[in-house]
Amino acid sequence: MASESNGSRSESVTTLNSDSIAVEMPSQPRKVALITGITGQDGSYLTEFLLGKGYEVHGLIRRSSNFNTQRIDHIYIDPHNVNKALMKLHYADLTDASSLRRWLDVIKPDEVYNLAAQSHVAVSFEIPDYTADVVATGALRLLEAVRSHTTDSGRIIKYYQAGSSEMFGSTPPPQSETTPFHPRSPYAASKCAAHWYTVNYREAYGLFACNGILFNHESPRRGENFVTRKITRALGRIKVGLQTKLFLGNLQAARDWGFAGDYVEAMWLMLQQEKPDDYVVATEEAHTVEEFLEVSFGYLGLNWKDHVEIDPRYFRPTEVDNLKGDASKAKKVLGWTPKVGFEKLVKMMVDQDLKIAEREKLLVDAGFIAAEQQP
């Protein structure tokens, strides 16, 4: 599925693409965006958003034995269809500096969005070296590639660095752009390094580089090993009889949960400003894992206490108790506000995972697949 072709920056002549994504008709040549982490949750929503704005989008993907492009398959068009294929994929890796610089030189993007990461907090305790190499040093490699490209070409590239509310760690809420960081995991510490690398390159070299400190953002496309999706995925299977128990850790951890589809607009807005800056993006509401359970299980008429058990293995070595963002700067400067509230987000995820569980149940009953070994 990956392509190394570099399409022309032609003007838009249609208002809808083949997947009915509304496309603006630019009077100027198309803007070109480069996204690392394009196959992730945020990358897929950002790609849809930018295609809707009339962009040509290039994504960097890691080589794998199996394709991991499910989140963007619905908007993929074979690059041989030159007039319609406005999203193109290229092999690269944040651990490979030469590939980053090469694709910058070939693609010549106007905007770069660094969304790639080993983003699972619990996993970062198990593979800390790799997490730091990708999340921290990977961001540094990409920043240096942008700097050297702009120096050699004279072009201006606007750069977005994906930060995380985990950087605040044990600092009491609400957390804003001026709140001190106190990371509590290798992932969070690596994100702090990437944040300050971005600030340094902005101040030292004059790069248009922004940090988006995004609080927890979820969707039906969230990875299944993240607690919100773990809950809704298990809930769907419990509802149709494929599973009876769900094992979790700290139910009192509170998070500021928003919808990923809303948050990618804030990323884009940061790069449309006259000056680069850093912004917290959040709903300004915090809810505990227990509240998430109450809303999700209650939506399907179930009592979560009948199915949830606590497993000590899911507690972190250092817990983060409460993250709640202060997004007043983003509201004032960017004009951004979230559109999807907490309950709507939870129900959106439950609806999707119930459909998946129902399809899985049909296949199990028909003997096409074996039921997974679930308690």
PDB file of all heavy atoms in Angstrom, residues 270-295:
ATOM      1  N   MET A 270      -3.175  25.662  15.187  1.00  0.00           N
ATOM      2  CA  MET A 270      -1.904  26.154  15.717  1.00  0.00           C
ATOM      3  C   MET A 270      -0.961  26.572  14.596  1.00  0.00           C
ATOM      4  O   MET A 270      -0.224  27.564  14.716  1.00  0.00           O
ATOM      5  CB  MET A 270      -1.233  25.078  16.575  1.00  0.00           C
ATOM      6  CG  MET A 270      -1.955  24.766  17.855  1.00  0.00           C
ATOM      7  SD  MET A 270      -1.112  23.455  18.782  1.00  0.00           S
ATOM      8  CE  MET A 270      -2.484  22.817  19.751  1.00  0.00           C
ATOM      9  N   LEU A 271      -0.968  25.828  13.488  1.00  0.00           N
ATOM     10  CA  LEU A 271      -0.058  26.120  12.387  1.00  0.00           C
ATOM     11  C   LEU A 271      -0.603  27.177  11.442  1.00  0.00           C
ATOM     12  O   LEU A 271       0.077  27.554  10.481  1.00  0.00           O
ATOM     13  CB  LEU A 271       0.255  24.829  11.604  1.00  0.00           C
ATOM     14  CG  LEU A 271       0.905  23.706  12.396  1.00  0.00           C
ATOM     15  CD1 LEU A 271       1.468  22.655  11.445  1.00  0.00           C
ATOM     16  CD2 LEU A 271       2.006  24.214  13.318  1.00  0.00           C
ATOM     17  N   GLN A 272      -1.805  27.676  11.703  1.00  0.00           N
ATOM     18  CA  GLN A 272      -2.366  28.743  10.873  1.00  0.00           C
ATOM     19  C   GLN A 272      -2.179  30.122  11.509  1.00  0.00           C
ATOM     20  O   GLN A 272      -2.570  31.142  10.925  1.00  0.00           O
ATOM     21  CB  GLN A 272      -3.867  28.503  10.612  1.00  0.00           C
ATOM     22  CG  GLN A 272      -4.221  27.100  10.152  1.00  0.00           C
ATOM     23  CD  GLN A 272      -3.308  26.550   9.076  1.00  0.00           C
ATOM     24  OE1 GLN A 272      -3.101  27.193   8.033  1.00  0.00           O
ATOM     25  NE2 GLN A 272      -2.745  25.362   9.314  1.00  0.00           N
ATOM     26  N   GLN A 273      -1.577  30.155  12.697  1.00  0.00           N
ATOM     27  CA  GLN A 273      -1.369  31.432  13.378  1.00  0.00           C
ATOM     28  C   GLN A 273      -0.157  32.164  12.817  1.00  0.00           C
ATOM     29  O   GLN A 273       0.693  31.584  12.140  1.00  0.00           O
ATOM     30  CB  GLN A 273      -1.183  31.195  14.883  1.00  0.00           C
ATOM     31  CG  GLN A 273      -2.305  30.415  15.532  1.00  0.00           C
ATOM     32  CD  GLN A 273      -3.671  31.013  15.291  1.00  0.00           C
ATOM     33  OE1 GLN A 273      -3.910  32.186  15.604  1.00  0.00           O
ATOM     34  NE2 GLN A 273      -4.586  30.223  14.729  1.00  0.00           N
ATOM     35  N   GLU A 274      -0.056  33.471  13.105  1.00  0.00           N
ATOM     36  CA  GLU A 274       1.075  34.260  12.621  1.00  0.00           C
ATOM     37  C   GLU A 274       2.367  33.890  13.342  1.00  0.00           C
ATOM     38  O   GLU A 274       3.444  33.932  12.745  1.00  0.00           O
ATOM     39  CB  GLU A 274       0.790  35.753  12.806  1.00  0.00           C
ATOM     40  CG  GLU A 274      -0.307  36.292  11.887  1.00  0.00           C
ATOM     41  CD  GLU A 274      -0.458  37.798  12.008  1.00  0.00           C
ATOM     42  OE1 GLU A 274       0.365  38.418  12.734  1.00  0.00           O
ATOM     43  OE2 GLU A 274      -1.377  38.355  11.385  1.00  0.00           O
ATOM     44  N   LYS A 275       2.256  33.525  14.617  1.00  0.00           N
ATOM     45  CA  LYS A 275       3.435  33.192  15.395  1.00  0.00           C
ATOM     46  C   LYS A 275       3.279  31.812  16.025  1.00  0.00           C
ATOM     47  O   LYS A 275       2.178  31.448  16.445  1.00  0.00           O
ATOM     48  CB  LYS A 275       3.663  34.239  16.500  1.00  0.00           C
ATOM     49  CG  LYS A 275       3.986  35.638  15.976  1.00  0.00           C
ATOM     50  CD  LYS A 275       4.219  36.605  17.125  1.00  0.00           C
ATOM     51  CE  LYS A 275       4.551  38.003  16.622  1.00  0.00           C
ATOM     52  NZ  LYS A 275       4.778  38.952  17.746  1.00  0.00           N
ATOM     53  N   PRO A 276       4.361  31.059  16.120  1.00  0.00           N
ATOM     54  CA  PRO A 276       4.285  29.730  16.754  1.00  0.00           C
ATOM     55  C   PRO A 276       4.192  29.854  18.268  1.00  0.00           C
ATOM     56  O   PRO A 276       4.760  30.769  18.868  1.00  0.00           O
ATOM     57  CB  PRO A 276       5.602  29.079  16.338  1.00  0.00           C
ATOM     58  CG  PRO A 276       6.551  30.238  16.170  1.00  0.00           C
ATOM     59  CD  PRO A 276       5.714  31.363  15.623  1.00  0.00           C
ATOM     60  N   ASP A 277       3.483  28.937  18.878  1.00  0.00           N
ATOM     61  CA  ASP A 277       3.330  28.960  20.333  1.00  0.00           C
ATOM     62  C   ASP A 277       2.900  27.567  20.794  1.00  0.00           C
ATOM     63  O   ASP A 277       2.691  26.674  19.979  1.00  0.00           O
ATOM     64  CB  ASP A 277       2.295  30.009  20.753  1.00  0.00           C
ATOM     65  CG  ASP A 277       2.544  30.560  22.150  1.00  0.00           C
ATOM     66  OD1 ASP A 277       3.291  29.920  22.916  1.00  0.00           O
ATOM     67  OD2 ASP A 277       1.964  31.612  22.479  1.00  0.00           O
ATOM     68  N   ASP A 278       2.728  27.416  22.103  1.00  0.00           N
ATOM     69  CA  ASP A 278       2.337  26.141  22.693  1.00  0.00           C
ATOM     70  C   ASP A 278       0.949  26.271  23.300  1.00  0.00           C
ATOM     71  O   ASP A 278       0.616  27.306  23.895  1.00  0.00           O
ATOM     72  CB  ASP A 278       3.345  25.724  23.770  1.00  0.00           C
ATOM     73  CG  ASP A 278       4.775  25.707  23.235  1.00  0.00           C
ATOM     74  OD1 ASP A 278       4.951  25.351  22.054  1.00  0.00           O
ATOM     75  OD2 ASP A 278       5.699  26.064  23.999  1.00  0.00           O
ATOM     76  N   TYR A 279       0.144  25.213  23.174  1.00  0.00           N
ATOM     77  CA  TYR A 279      -1.251  25.276  23.597  1.00  0.00           C
ATOM     78  C   TYR A 279      -1.683  23.980  24.293  1.00  0.00           C
ATOM     79  O   TYR A 279      -1.368  22.880  23.829  1.00  0.00           O
ATOM     80  CB  TYR A 279      -2.176  25.494  22.399  1.00  0.00           C
ATOM     81  CG  TYR A 279      -1.936  26.763  21.643  1.00  0.00           C
ATOM     82  CD1 TYR A 279      -1.001  26.799  20.604  1.00  0.00           C
ATOM     83  CD2 TYR A 279      -2.637  27.926  21.940  1.00  0.00           C
ATOM     84  CE1 TYR A 279      -0.772  27.968  19.885  1.00  0.00           C
ATOM     85  CE2 TYR A 279      -2.418  29.100  21.225  1.00  0.00           C
ATOM     86  CZ  TYR A 279      -1.484  29.117  20.204  1.00  0.00           C
ATOM     87  OH  TYR A 279      -1.264  30.280  19.495  1.00  0.00           O
ATOM     88  N   VAL A 280      -2.444  24.136  25.368  1.00  0.00           N
ATOM     89  CA  VAL A 280      -3.141  23.011  25.992  1.00  0.00           C
ATOM     90  C   VAL A 280      -4.465  22.837  25.273  1.00  0.00           C
ATOM     91  O   VAL A 280      -5.183  23.812  25.000  1.00  0.00           O
ATOM     92  CB  VAL A 280      -3.379  23.273  27.494  1.00  0.00           C
ATOM     93  CG1 VAL A 280      -4.481  22.359  28.050  1.00  0.00           C
ATOM     94  CG2 VAL A 280      -2.090  23.066  28.272  1.00  0.00           C
ATOM     95  N   VAL A 281      -4.798  21.586  24.951  1.00  0.00           N
ATOM     96  CA  VAL A 281      -6.070  21.268  24.304  1.00  0.00           C
ATOM     97  C   VAL A 281      -6.801  20.281  25.204  1.00  0.00           C
ATOM     98  O   VAL A 281      -6.302  19.175  25.455  1.00  0.00           O
ATOM     99  CB  VAL A 281      -5.850  20.668  22.903  1.00  0.00           C
ATOM    100  CG1 VAL A 281      -7.186  20.337  22.242  1.00  0.00           C
ATOM    101  CG2 VAL A 281      -5.057  21.640  22.033  1.00  0.00           C
ATOM    102  N   ALA A 282      -7.974  20.670  25.706  1.00  0.00           N
ATOM    103  CA  ALA A 282      -8.682  19.851  26.685  1.00  0.00           C
ATOM    104  C   ALA A 282     -10.154  20.246  26.740  1.00  0.00           C
ATOM    105  O   ALA A 282     -10.554  21.288  26.224  1.00  0.00           O
ATOM    106  CB  ALA A 282      -8.046  20.026  28.067  1.00  0.00           C
ATOM    107  N   THR A 283     -10.957  19.417  27.399  1.00  0.00           N
ATOM    108  CA  THR A 283     -12.380  19.733  27.583  1.00  0.00           C
ATOM    109  C   THR A 283     -12.618  20.529  28.852  1.00  0.00           C
ATOM    110  O   THR A 283     -13.694  21.081  29.042  1.00  0.00           O
ATOM    111  CB  THR A 283     -13.231  18.449  27.668  1.00  0.00           C
ATOM    112  OG1 THR A 283     -12.930  17.756  28.892  1.00  0.00           O
ATOM    113  CG2 THR A 283     -12.958  17.533  26.481  1.00  0.00           C
ATOM    114  N   GLU A 284     -11.640  20.542  29.757  1.00  0.00           N
ATOM    115  CA  GLU A 284     -11.718  21.189  31.059  1.00  0.00           C
ATOM    116  C   GLU A 284     -12.684  20.472  32.008  1.00  0.00           C
ATOM    117  O   GLU A 284     -13.178  21.052  32.965  1.00  0.00           O
ATOM    118  CB  GLU A 284     -12.071  22.673  30.922  1.00  0.00           C
ATOM    119  CG  GLU A 284     -11.055  23.443  30.077  1.00  0.00           C
ATOM    120  CD  GLU A 284     -11.328  24.940  30.031  1.00  0.00           C
ATOM    121  OE1 GLU A 284     -12.515  25.324  30.003  1.00  0.00           O
ATOM    122  OE2 GLU A 284     -10.348  25.710  30.028  1.00  0.00           O
ATOM    123  N   GLU A 285     -12.942  19.180  31.731  1.00  0.00           N
ATOM    124  CA  GLU A 285     -13.722  18.334  32.632  1.00  0.00           C
ATOM    125  C   GLU A 285     -12.914  17.071  32.921  1.00  0.00           C
ATOM    126  O   GLU A 285     -12.292  16.520  32.026  1.00  0.00           O
ATOM    127  CB  GLU A 285     -15.052  17.916  32.017  1.00  0.00           C
ATOM    128  CG  GLU A 285     -16.033  19.045  31.778  1.00  0.00           C
ATOM    129  CD  GLU A 285     -17.333  18.537  31.192  1.00  0.00           C
ATOM    130  OE1 GLU A 285     -17.536  17.302  31.140  1.00  0.00           O
ATOM    131  OE2 GLU A 285     -18.152  19.368  30.777  1.00  0.00           O
ATOM    132  N   ALA A 286     -12.940  16.596  34.152  1.00  0.00           N
ATOM    133  CA  ALA A 286     -12.243  15.362  34.507  1.00  0.00           C
ATOM    134  C   ALA A 286     -13.254  14.323  34.973  1.00  0.00           C
ATOM    135  O   ALA A 286     -14.217  14.647  35.681  1.00  0.00           O
ATOM    136  CB  ALA A 286     -11.209  15.622  35.596  1.00  0.00           C
ATOM    137  N   HIS A 287     -13.039  13.075  34.559  1.00  0.00           N
ATOM    138  CA  HIS A 287     -13.906  11.967  34.958  1.00  0.00           C
ATOM    139  C   HIS A 287     -13.019  10.785  35.323  1.00  0.00           C
ATOM    140  O   HIS A 287     -11.980  10.558  34.704  1.00  0.00           O
ATOM    141  CB  HIS A 287     -14.856  11.577  33.832  1.00  0.00           C
ATOM    142  CG  HIS A 287     -15.774  12.687  33.403  1.00  0.00           C
ATOM    143  ND1 HIS A 287     -16.993  12.912  34.010  1.00  0.00           N
ATOM    144  CD2 HIS A 287     -15.634  13.636  32.445  1.00  0.00           C
ATOM    145  CE1 HIS A 287     -17.574  13.956  33.427  1.00  0.00           C
ATOM    146  NE2 HIS A 287     -16.771  14.418  32.483  1.00  0.00           N
ATOM    147  N   THR A 288     -13.441  10.014  36.323  1.00  0.00           N
ATOM    148  CA  THR A 288     -12.670   8.859  36.734  1.00  0.00           C
ATOM    149  C   THR A 288     -12.967   7.657  35.830  1.00  0.00           C
ATOM    150  O   THR A 288     -13.965   7.639  35.100  1.00  0.00           O
ATOM    151  CB  THR A 288     -12.989   8.459  38.185  1.00  0.00           C
ATOM    152  OG1 THR A 288     -14.365   8.061  38.257  1.00  0.00           O
ATOM    153  CG2 THR A 288     -12.720   9.606  39.139  1.00  0.00           C
ATOM    154  N   VAL A 289     -12.091   6.660  35.927  1.00  0.00           N
ATOM    155  CA  VAL A 289     -12.330   5.411  35.201  1.00  0.00           C
ATOM    156  C   VAL A 289     -13.645   4.796  35.662  1.00  0.00           C
ATOM    157  O   VAL A 289     -14.411   4.247  34.858  1.00  0.00           O
ATOM    158  CB  VAL A 289     -11.163   4.426  35.417  1.00  0.00           C
ATOM    159  CG1 VAL A 289     -11.462   3.081  34.752  1.00  0.00           C
ATOM    160  CG2 VAL A 289      -9.849   5.009  34.887  1.00  0.00           C
ATOM    161  N   GLU A 290     -13.952   4.920  36.951  1.00  0.00           N
ATOM    162  CA  GLU A 290     -15.215   4.388  37.466  1.00  0.00           C
ATOM    163  C   GLU A 290     -16.405   5.093  36.812  1.00  0.00           C
ATOM    164  O   GLU A 290     -17.409   4.440  36.473  1.00  0.00           O
ATOM    165  CB  GLU A 290     -15.276   4.566  38.980  1.00  0.00           C
ATOM    166  CG  GLU A 290     -16.526   3.956  39.607  1.00  0.00           C
ATOM    167  CD  GLU A 290     -16.493   3.994  41.121  1.00  0.00           C
ATOM    168  OE1 GLU A 290     -15.415   3.733  41.697  1.00  0.00           O
ATOM    169  OE2 GLU A 290     -17.557   4.265  41.722  1.00  0.00           O
ATOM    170  N   GLU A 291     -16.312   6.393  36.609  1.00  0.00           N
ATOM    171  CA  GLU A 291     -17.389   7.111  35.921  1.00  0.00           C
ATOM    172  C   GLU A 291     -17.537   6.624  34.480  1.00  0.00           C
ATOM    173  O   GLU A 291     -18.658   6.505  33.966  1.00  0.00           O
ATOM    174  CB  GLU A 291     -17.112   8.615  35.937  1.00  0.00           C
ATOM    175  CG  GLU A 291     -17.274   9.278  37.283  1.00  0.00           C
ATOM    176  CD  GLU A 291     -16.945  10.756  37.220  1.00  0.00           C
ATOM    177  OE1 GLU A 291     -17.797  11.534  36.734  1.00  0.00           O
ATOM    178  OE2 GLU A 291     -15.828  11.143  37.620  1.00  0.00           O
ATOM    179  N   PHE A 292     -16.406   6.349  33.828  1.00  0.00           N
ATOM    180  CA  PHE A 292     -16.462   5.822  32.467  1.00  0.00           C
ATOM    181  C   PHE A 292     -17.195   4.485  32.459  1.00  0.00           C
ATOM    182  O   PHE A 292     -18.009   4.207  31.568  1.00  0.00           O
ATOM    183  CB  PHE A 292     -15.047   5.661  31.905  1.00  0.00           C
ATOM    184  CG  PHE A 292     -14.989   5.492  30.418  1.00  0.00           C
ATOM    185  CD1 PHE A 292     -14.658   6.546  29.589  1.00  0.00           C
ATOM    186  CD2 PHE A 292     -15.266   4.252  29.836  1.00  0.00           C
ATOM    187  CE1 PHE A 292     -14.607   6.395  28.206  1.00  0.00           C
ATOM    188  CE2 PHE A 292     -15.215   4.082  28.463  1.00  0.00           C
ATOM    189  CZ  PHE A 292     -14.893   5.154  27.647  1.00  0.00           C
ATOM    190  N   LEU A 293     -16.919   3.643  33.464  1.00  0.00           N
ATOM    191  CA  LEU A 293     -17.597   2.359  33.578  1.00  0.00           C
ATOM    192  C   LEU A 293     -19.096   2.546  33.796  1.00  0.00           C
ATOM    193  O   LEU A 293     -19.924   1.848  33.187  1.00  0.00           O
ATOM    194  CB  LEU A 293     -17.003   1.553  34.728  1.00  0.00           C
ATOM    195  CG  LEU A 293     -15.606   0.969  34.518  1.00  0.00           C
ATOM    196  CD1 LEU A 293     -15.038   0.473  35.843  1.00  0.00           C
ATOM    197  CD2 LEU A 293     -15.638  -0.156  33.493  1.00  0.00           C
ATOM    198  N   GLU A 294     -19.458   3.478  34.665  1.00  0.00           N
ATOM    199  CA  GLU A 294     -20.870   3.703  34.968  1.00  0.00           C
ATOM    200  C   GLU A 294     -21.649   4.134  33.733  1.00  0.00           C
ATOM    201  O   GLU A 294     -22.742   3.623  33.456  1.00  0.00           O
ATOM    202  CB  GLU A 294     -21.003   4.753  36.070  1.00  0.00           C
ATOM    203  CG  GLU A 294     -20.555   4.266  37.444  1.00  0.00           C
ATOM    204  CD  GLU A 294     -20.554   5.373  38.479  1.00  0.00           C
ATOM    205  OE1 GLU A 294     -20.712   6.552  38.092  1.00  0.00           O
ATOM    206  OE2 GLU A 294     -20.381   5.061  39.672  1.00  0.00           O
ATOM    207  N   VAL A 295     -21.086   5.062  32.964  1.00  0.00           N
ATOM    208  CA  VAL A 295     -21.778   5.563  31.780  1.00  0.00           C
ATOM    209  C   VAL A 295     -21.855   4.489  30.699  1.00  0.00           C
ATOM    210  O   VAL A 295     -22.909   4.266  30.093  1.00  0.00           O
ATOM    211  CB  VAL A 295     -21.078   6.822  31.228  1.00  0.00           C
ATOM    212  CG1 VAL A 295     -21.699   7.249  29.892  1.00  0.00           C
ATOM    213  CG2 VAL A 295     -21.169   7.969  32.234  1.00  0.00           C
TER     214      VAL A 295
END
